[in-house]
Amino acid sequence: MYEILTNIFNSEIIAILIAAFLPLFLFILPFALFAVYLERKVSAFMQDRLGPMRTGPYGVLQTVADILKLIQKEDIINKDADKKLFNLAPVLVFAGSYAAFAAIPFTSIYIGTSADIGLFFILAISSLVVAGILMSGWASNNKYSLLGAMRSAAQIISYEIPTALVILSVVMITGTLSLNTMSEIQTAYFWNWTIFGGAEWGIQKILLIPFMIVAFVIFYISSLAEVNRTPFDIPEAESELVAGYHTEYSGMKFAIFFLAEYANMFAVSAIAASIFFGGYQSPFGYFGNLIGLEWLIPLEQLFWFTMKGLFFVFVQMWLRWTLPRLRVDQLMTVCWKYLIPYAFVNLIIIGLISLI
Amino acid sequence: MKEYLKNTWLGIWTVLVGMKITFKHLFTPSVTIQYPDVKVALPDRVRNRLYVNMDDCIGCDQCARACPVECIEIETVKSLPTEDLGKTSNGKKKALWVTTFNIDIAKCCYCQLCVFPCPTECIYMTDSYEFSEYDRNDLVYKFATLTSTEVKEKKANFEEFQAQKEAEKAAAAKAKAEAAAKAKEDAKANDNSKEDKPKE
Ligand code: SF4
Ligand code: SF4
């Protein structure tokens, strides 16, 4: 990828910049537009409504109209806000969630960074989001924002532990921290996916399946909490905290928070897909291989990757419109009393199995 | 420990039950009615905007008097005996020019009390309910069919007629008064002669 771009523009810096912005403009922005629309439709259908129907056919232009509206809005900074932090916070939050995309393999030929510590990088960089959220809560000088920010920080920090434990158990089996290698290992056909015990046949694979499913469930729950989605959306609990840490934001800055949330949703879904569900690998083998068109394979991979990601995004929405919000103490109970012990036991068992 | 495992199981199980329910609803047809395009059928006796069929109105003011919020304003002018205003559809003779018939729908509470007293059944509820306006004054519906010049003309006609009648009356009264005075004078004269007599 880099080589092609470097050749075209004759400069490595431009090539890197373009490669860095590519997923943003080609993927995340359209995805966010689509996901907001999807969210509305899913919520509407689950409540036997129709959702947006007026803007464009079946309301498909609704989110575009919303973005246009948000761009036109006045950018309000309240009088007592800490202006520097206030302006920096949305950037930081978005940077944190966008940076995670650097280590996510969209296809076998496109990945932002081929660093071997991809998963570790994602775990580390997504903690930057906490700093951004705390900043926005503090700088807004508003009690709701501050409460939301503190809840968010507590929540994200707590839920990083089960996430890390689960990732650790997967890493023990695959023996790599790079998502790209991980996806490569789970070669085409779905029975090679990590959730089904990985690509190697044997007693180990059969034994691993139940524990991998447990690992996936724990990972999915804690990733839900990390992106502040219902039932773990206590940082922005509308009914208690107005809008939590972004109460004071308006216009474009609010839009950036929003974009970060949706980017984050896709990021965790993509990570779940990459770790457990074969990443960009097709579940049924490649059509391109079948008819001998090599160039078709990356496109197919992109398709499967997007589909898997979208499916998990859909499940997030599905959960959101099913479950009520947890209380703060319940949230902590779920994490510390249930997820962490289970993740830990799971880790030990998977470790023992991988010794066989 | 048993409690703990049970809790875990219950947690997962209830979430799955909930998800099953919402998933079913994903495919339930929605109950939304896309209002301006699709409208709900109204019941037979709906009460919405009032309408007055001015061809039948005899200007009897009964509806205005029945209205609890006084949102009907009626002014009438009597017609001349020579004018023929026609008859209403149920055979009542019209005798008044209805110069003003305003209904302030903004005030109307849709109680339908104005509808019942009408002797010719010309004020009634329609099924139109989409009549919002930007200006509240636009909600005053004017039903009177006469143009302003016609109204002036009718008023003038009636005043002239009135004046004429008055004049006639006055003349008649004068004549009467004169006659009465004369009679009185005569009587006095008689009296005088009577009174004079005993003195003589
Ligand atoms: S419906 Fe009721 S409030 Fe409305 S004009 Fe008739 S009597 Fe008055
Ligand atoms: S009651 Fe009927 S006839 Fe009488 S003034 Fe009202 S609308 Fe006209």
Side-chain angles (χ1 to χ4, degrees):
Chain A
M1 200 73 198
Y2 284 135
E3 286 87 70
I4 306 170
L5 286 172
T6 322
N7 284 342
I8 295 174
F9 296 104
N10 252 331
S11 150
E12 206 158 322
I13 297 171
I14 294 179
I16 287 175
L17 274 180
I18 288 178
F21 280 115
L22 215 55
L24 176 64
F25 291 112
L26 279 189
F27 200 82
I28 299 177
L29 283 182
F31 165 76
L33 286 183
F34 175 71
V36 175
Y37 176 69
L38 184 74
E39 171 112 57
R40 285 178 167 151
K41 280 293 185 191
V42 166
S43 67
F45 287 151
M46 282 183 177
Q47 296 166 351
D48 294 351
R49 296 182 284 116
L50 283 174
M53 288 295 278
R54 297 270 136 200
T55 332
Y58 290 95
V60 282
L61 295 179
Q62 187 62 52
T63 32
V64 179
D66 283 347
I67 291 289
L68 284 180
K69 184 199 77 175
L70 277 176
I71 290 174
Q72 292 169 21
K73 291 250 168 170
E74 186 189 352
D75 182 25
I76 300 168
I77 301 177
N78 59 357
K79 197 172 98 241
D80 296 328
D82 187 335
K83 287 206 181 56
K84 269 185 216 142
L85 293 185
F86 190 84
N87 289 333
L88 192 58
V91 180
L92 206 58
V93 169
F94 183 71
S97 39
Y98 183 51
F101 280 86
I104 294 175
F106 286 85
T107 72
S108 54
I109 59 162
Y110 183 83
I111 176 168
T113 163
S114 45
D116 283 336
I117 49 160
L119 265 174
F120 186 64
F121 169 75
I122 290 174
L123 278 182
I125 203 82
S126 55
S127 305
L128 198 62
V129 176
V130 185
I133 289 175
L134 265 181
M135 259 188 195
S136 66
W138 175 257
S140 298
N141 206 347
N142 171 327
K143 48 187 168 301
Y144 294 123
S145 301
L146 189 58
L147 267 177
M150 300 213 326
R151 283 178 176 195
S152 174
Q155 173 179 333
I156 293 181
I157 289 170
S158 311
Y159 277 85
E160 255 166 19
I161 300 169
T163 318
L165 284 175
V166 168
I167 287 181
L168 194 59
S169 55
V170 176
V171 167
M172 275 196 315
I173 291 178
T174 53
T176 173
L177 270 169
S178 151
L179 278 174
N180 201 15
T181 326
M182 225 177 245
S183 309
E184 267 166 26
I185 292 172
Q186 312 171 49
T187 46
Y189 302 118
F190 58 89
W191 52 81
N192 289 334
W193 290 351
T194 316
I195 193 152
F196 298 122
E200 278 168 45
W201 286 95
I203 179 92
Q204 208 183 345
K205 183 175 161 85
I206 309 294
L207 280 177
L208 272 178
I209 293 176
F211 299 104
M212 274 305 170
I213 291 174
V214 172
F216 168 70
V217 171
I218 294 173
F219 179 82
Y220 200 75
I221 294 174
S222 43
S223 67
L224 262 186
E226 278 196 54
V227 295
N228 299 335
R229 295 283 299 178
T230 325
F232 304 108
D233 68 340
I234 57 159
E236 41 198 284
E238 296 94 343
S239 41
E240 306 159 27
L241 294 182
V242 192
Y245 55 88
H246 49 56
T247 306
E248 294 292 348
Y249 285 88
S250 67
M252 247 354 249
K253 285 185 197 141
F254 175 76
I256 289 177
F257 272 118
F258 215 63
L259 189 65
E261 183 183 333
Y262 278 85
N264 239 337
M265 271 168 73
F266 190 80
V268 294
S269 302
I271 294 166
S274 300
I275 296 180
F276 291 101
F277 291 90
Y280 51 72
Q281 303 281 11
S282 149
F284 313 112
Y286 289 109
F287 193 61
N289 271 342
L290 210 66
I291 56 171
L293 289 176
E294 285 289 320
W295 56 266
L296 208 60
I297 295 179
L299 290 181
E300 269 183 79
Q301 286 173 335
L302 186 63
F303 169 77
W304 283 113
F305 183 77
T306 319
M307 280 300 124
K308 287 171 188 172
L310 272 184
F311 175 74
F312 288 116
V313 169
F314 168 73
V315 177
Q316 285 181 351
M317 293 171 182
W318 183 3
L319 277 168
R320 170 167 181 186
W321 297 103
T322 304
L323 299 176
R325 181 184 308 128
L326 294 183
R327 247 175 15 227
V328 183
D329 62 317
Q330 290 169 333
L331 184 93
M332 289 299 157
T333 311
V334 170
C335 178
W336 291 96
K337 285 196 185 160
Y338 289 89
L339 290 183
I340 292 180
Y342 276 112
F344 205 70
V345 171
N346 208 41
L347 172 74
I348 293 173
I349 295 177
I350 290 179
L352 288 177
I353 291 175
S354 66
L355 282 181
I356 299 175
Chain B
M1 192 66 203
K2 209 177 151 199
E3 180 85 13
Y4 182 81
L5 290 176
K6 209 178 134 199
N7 277 346
T8 318
W9 170 247
L10 261 183
I12 295 172
W13 180 247
T14 44
V15 168
L16 289 179
V17 168
M19 286 175 80
K20 193 181 143 207
I21 291 171
T22 39
F23 194 71
K24 258 192 219 152
H25 277 276
L26 205 53
F27 300 103
T28 319
S30 87
V31 294
T32 309
I33 289 160
Q34 297 230 55
Y35 159 61
D37 301 338
V38 185
K39 288 179 185 166
V40 198
L42 294 172
D44 281 346
R45 297 189 293 173
V46 279
R47 302 195 294 210
N48 289 304
R49 188 171 65 191
L50 281 164
Y51 181 74
V52 182
N53 180 4
M54 286 310 287
D55 289 344
D56 274 1
C57 178
I58 56 172
C60 66
D61 205 30
Q62 298 220 42
C63 49
R65 264 178 276 151
C67 179
V69 294
E70 294 181 354
C71 60
I72 306 181
E73 186 195 346
I74 297 176
E75 273 168 24
T76 49
V77 174
K78 276 190 190 148
S79 60
L80 306 183
T82 48
E83 280 170 326
D84 183 19
L85 276 72
K87 279 186 176 174
T88 64
S89 54
N90 62 358
K92 282 221 161 57
K93 205 165 172 296
K94 294 213 263 184
L96 297 169
W97 293 109
V98 182
T99 51
T100 315
F101 198 123
N102 294 348
I103 301 186
D104 191 349
I105 295 287
K107 281 195 221 157
C108 176
C109 64
Y110 306 99
C111 61
Q112 213 181 6
L113 287 178
C114 53
V115 172
F116 303 117
C118 179
T120 60
E121 289 176 6
C122 64
I123 181 167
Y124 50 83
M125 294 286 183
T126 59
D127 58 2
S128 115
Y129 51 87
E130 295 158 312
F131 47 90
S132 50
E133 299 280 358
Y134 285 104
D135 186 357
R136 191 169 296 178
N137 290 330
D138 291 344
L139 279 170
V140 178
Y141 283 78
K142 299 185 170 70
F143 289 101
T145 44
L146 299 180
T147 60
S148 54
T149 44
E150 274 177 313
V151 168
K152 262 184 209 148
E153 187 195 317
K154 303 295 173 208
K155 274 190 184 154
N157 273 353
F158 181 66
E159 261 156 37
E160 208 175 281
F161 174 70
Q162 197 86 337
Q164 218 173 334
K165 228 172 153 188
E166 206 83 332
E168 268 169 31
K169 232 189 205 167
K174 210 175 169 190
K176 219 176 173 184
E178 264 167 24
K182 217 176 171 189
K184 224 179 182 179
E185 239 162 60
D186 286 351
K188 222 179 181 179
N190 281 348
D191 275 357
N192 281 352
S193 56
K194 265 181 199 167
E195 262 171 40
D196 287 345
K197 268 179 187 171
K199 276 184 187 172
E200 280 172 24

